[in-house]
Amino acid sequence: MKFFKRLQLLRVRQRLYTTSNANQNNYECDIEFANAPHFPVMWKETLHYLNLAPGDTMIDMTFGSGGHSKKILDTVPDVKIFALDRDPTAMNFAEDLAKKYPGQVFPLLGRFSELPKLLESYHIKENSIDAMLFDFGCSSMQYNTPERGFMISKNGPLDMRMDGNRSTNSPTAADVLEKASERDLYHIIKYYGEEKRARKIARALFDARYMFRSLKTTHELAKFIESLFSSEINTDQLGRFQHPATKTFQALRIFVNNELNEINHAIVIATKLLKINGRLITISFHSLEDTIVKRHLSGNVSDSVANKLPLRYANWGKVWQNKEDIEALTSSPWLMLHKHVLTPSDEEVYANPRSRSAKFRVIAKIK
């Protein structure tokens, strides 16, 4: 199966390579973000499904360097955008865009969960926002800055905080490796990294403290985990080489930034802010993010928390009784506007390889 997937990928690349430069430029040069710190993923689909009208108000929940917002501003007259991001670096881009589009862009520095407080000074009421956009995960500018500590291939301190130094009380990835118990390390790596070898990695990381082994930089952590599996060849689902520390890096990043809880909280906030028929777009890059969106979409939410188990296992006694009980358990304010999850085109993946794992969902608030 891996061989055929690799063969399919090679054929796509060969076909794209032989196309004319004009066709390739649709995604590489047609937009002015080609050399920007962050290349907006699936921006054409975003514009289409947002379906904004002149004068509408939306919230870009993951502003980054403003790729999606810039395209929206260039396309829809008089649209108003609240530009939210937890990264202080992103606020520099938001402030520059606000100067270019006065009265249309409003920078907001904070996490998803801080949004209601940040909107207080703007007197934003419930059921007043036309659309919200999420582009989950790290931005390219975070990955490409070694000092942020996100990348295996770029040596830097093991930081991984999306907030940077804004939240001095937040632990860094190095703090987690130094202070977490072996049991906690195992759970972090297993559940947030979906790493099958989590137990072995957690034990080795815990034992390293007593061997005076320094794990303060990205390269030190990457080489340490690589040494545990020196005889193994790691590949992803397409058969491409994958560093053995990739999933551990993902797990630490998600834990340090409390990403999954923030996503869950954000969707709860969206149910209050969006108008009826208001649209919510989510672009996720791994199953953990997308699963939370699907749980909310199916009504699998209890006390504002996306349940880990499917509903039929959460309360089997009720589910199998009658239709009314099932409908009560699965009541959801959301309607998905397309039958299947959308993914990037082959052309976009070729032009922007980081988009290859993107899953694009459009849901509308219906009640």
Side-chain angles (χ1 to χ4, degrees), residues 37 45 48 123 151 155 168 186 290 323 348:
E45 292 85 348
H48 172 71
H123 307 292
M151 283 286 282
N155 195 27
T168 56
Y186 164 70
D290 192 49
K323 182 179 179 181
E348 180 168 5

Side-chain angles (χ1 to χ4, degrees), residues 84 151 245 268 280 299:
L84 177 72
M151 283 286 282
V268 173
L280 175 68

Side-chain angles (χ1 to χ4, degrees), residues 115-240:
L115 179 62
K117 185 174 182 62
L118 293 171
L119 289 175
E120 284 180 359
S121 59
Y122 295 95
H123 307 292
I124 299 298
K125 298 180 180 179
E126 292 187 4
N127 305 309
S128 64
I129 300 297
D130 296 288
M132 297 175 72
L133 168 65
F134 292 88
D135 185 359
F136 297 130
C138 289
S139 66
S140 295
M141 62 184 180
Q142 290 170 335
Y143 278 126
N144 293 334
T145 306
E147 294 77 15
R148 305 298 298 272
F150 289 100
M151 283 286 282
I152 294 174
S153 59
K154 298 181 184 292
N155 195 27
L158 271 174
D159 192 319
M160 298 193 187
R161 293 174 299 174
M162 292 179 177
D163 302 79
N165 294 321
R166 188 175 72 90
S167 301
T168 56
N169 294 329
S170 299
T172 65
D175 293 332
V176 176
L177 294 178
E178 181 182 353
K179 299 176 182 178
S181 67
E182 180 182 340
R183 181 175 180 272
D184 287 340
L185 286 173
Y186 164 70
H187 285 135
I188 290 169
I189 297 169
K190 177 178 175 60
Y191 294 114
Y192 292 158
E194 300 178 296
E195 173 62 79
K196 296 179 181 179
R197 304 165 298 185
R199 195 172 298 280
K200 181 176 181 178
I201 295 173
R203 168 55 64 89
L205 291 172
F206 186 77
D207 290 344
R209 301 174 188 174
Y210 304 99
M211 296 186 296
F212 305 100
R213 185 72 180 266
S214 173
L215 295 175
K216 299 292 185 182
T217 69
T218 54
H219 277 187
E220 287 172 348
L221 177 59
K223 290 177 181 178
F224 178 78
I225 295 178
E226 187 176 22
S227 69
L228 302 176
F229 309 102
S230 56
S231 60
E232 299 180 19
I233 298 177
N234 295 273
T235 57
D236 63 13
Q237 294 181 347
L238 292 179
R240 297 166 298 193

Side-chain angles (χ1 to χ4, degrees), residues 161-338:
R161 293 174 299 174
M162 292 179 177
D163 302 79
N165 294 321
R166 188 175 72 90
S167 301
T168 56
N169 294 329
S170 299
T172 65
D175 293 332
V176 176
L177 294 178
E178 181 182 353
K179 299 176 182 178
S181 67
E182 180 182 340
R183 181 175 180 272
D184 287 340
L185 286 173
Y186 164 70
H187 285 135
I188 290 169
I189 297 169
K190 177 178 175 60
Y191 294 114
Y192 292 158
E194 300 178 296
E195 173 62 79
K196 296 179 181 179
R197 304 165 298 185
R199 195 172 298 280
K200 181 176 181 178
I201 295 173
R203 168 55 64 89
L205 291 172
F206 186 77
D207 290 344
R209 301 174 188 174
Y210 304 99
M211 296 186 296
F212 305 100
R213 185 72 180 266
S214 173
L215 295 175
K216 299 292 185 182
T217 69
T218 54
H219 277 187
E220 287 172 348
L221 177 59
K223 290 177 181 178
F224 178 78
I225 295 178
E226 187 176 22
S227 69
L228 302 176
F229 309 102
S230 56
S231 60
E232 299 180 19
I233 298 177
N234 295 273
T235 57
D236 63 13
Q237 294 181 347
L238 292 179
R240 297 166 298 193
F241 171 76
Q242 184 180 67
H243 195 283
T246 298
K247 293 182 178 180
T248 301
F249 268 69
Q250 172 186 301
L252 289 170
R253 188 204 84 208
I254 290 174
F255 178 76
V256 165
N257 295 289
N258 197 23
E259 290 181 40
L260 302 185
N261 287 324
E262 285 289 325
I263 291 172
N264 179 74
H265 200 149
I267 299 177
V268 173
I269 292 171
T271 62
K272 300 180 182 299
L273 290 178
L274 284 173
K275 297 177 179 178
I276 298 297
N277 296 323
R279 298 191 175 192
L280 175 68
I281 288 180
T282 64
I283 305 174
S284 56
F285 292 88
H286 57 74
S287 60
L288 295 174
E289 298 167 340
D290 192 49
T291 294
I292 294 176
V293 179
K294 290 190 291 185
R295 294 288 192 229
H296 280 272
L297 183 60
S298 64
N300 192 1
V301 179
S302 175
D303 297 327
S304 299
V305 176
N307 293 328
K308 180 179 177 181
L309 294 175
L311 281 172
R312 61 186 179 192
Y313 300 118
N315 196 338
W316 63 270
K318 276 193 174 183
V319 168
W320 297 113
Q321 287 180 9
N322 55 61
K323 182 179 179 181
E324 289 73 21
D325 287 333
I326 295 175
E327 290 177 348
L329 283 171
T330 58
S331 176
S332 171
W334 303 107
L335 174 67
M336 193 162 169
L337 298 184
H338 46 90

